[in-house]
């Protein structure tokens, strides 16, 4: 999958590859951290790669939080039926134990965890704020670690 994403990004003209990283970072499980590494691996400047990946992931999170909030409002007005999945139970346990900051920083992918928290009734502004903090923290952390790893491999 990583090779496919790298090929996708490289298919863009050089001056637009940052936008391709932005698009790739909107994908769950790729997000800001893998988007950054893919961007750097194809030769983008690390600052450009991390900025584009963070922006793409953040845009996806904002969209998901807004959509999830609207869906929750509609579902709350409908008759209640209770169904749970293993993933929902896991996020629910994390949410009850660590709250919004904990799920945002631990519960990747951010799009899924943000939708789940809003679905549980968490304040969408707080979810959005903490998820954006998470996107930046993870993007920068992986950029730094990736840069260190590339530096070590180059020597």
């Amino acid at each position: 999958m990583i090779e496919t994403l790298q090929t996708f990004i490289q298919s863009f003209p050089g001056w637009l590859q940052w936008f391709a990283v932005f698009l790739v970072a909107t994908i769950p499980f790729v997000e800001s951290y893998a988007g950054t590494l893919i961007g750097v691996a194809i030769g983008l400047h690390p600052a450009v790669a991390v900025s584009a990946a963070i922006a793409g992931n953040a845009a996806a999170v904002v969209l998901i939080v807004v959509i999830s909030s609207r869906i929750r409002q509609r579902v709350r007005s409908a008759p209640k039926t209770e169904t749970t999945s293993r993933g929902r139970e896991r996020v629910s346990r994390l949410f009850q134990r660590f709250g919004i900051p904990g799920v945002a920083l631990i519960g990747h992918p951010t799009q899924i965890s943000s939708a789940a928290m809003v679905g549980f009734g968490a304040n969408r502004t707080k979810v959005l704020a903490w998820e954006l903090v998470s996107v930046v923290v993870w993007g920068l952390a992986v950029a730094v670690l990736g840069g260190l790893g590339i530096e070590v491999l180059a020597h």
Side-chain angles (χ1 to χ4, degrees), residues 19-38:
F19 183 68
V21 170
F22 175 94
L23 292 175
V24 164
T26 65
I27 301 170
F29 299 103
V30 174
E31 302 184 350
S32 63
Y33 42 93
T36 296
L37 291 179
I38 293 169

Side-chain angles (χ1 to χ4, degrees), residues 10-93:
Q10 289 174 325
S11 72
F12 280 67
W15 62 276
L16 258 183
Q17 288 180 344
W18 68 269
F19 183 68
V21 170
F22 175 94
L23 292 175
V24 164
T26 65
I27 301 170
F29 299 103
V30 174
E31 302 184 350
S32 63
Y33 42 93
T36 296
L37 291 179
I38 293 169
V40 170
I42 65 150
L44 284 178
H45 188 279
V48 172
V50 75
S51 297
I54 287 171
N57 195 188
V61 167
V62 169
L63 184 65
I64 293 296
V65 167
V66 168
I67 290 170
S68 298
S69 178
R70 290 187 180 157
I71 290 172
R72 178 171 165 60
Q73 288 171 350
R74 287 193 178 144
V75 168
R76 288 192 69 194
S77 64
K80 294 186 182 197
T81 58
E82 197 65 34
T83 59
T84 59
S85 67
R86 281 183 22 190
R88 182 176 169 89
E89 289 174 8
R90 177 180 176 267
V91 175
S92 177
R93 281 192 309 272

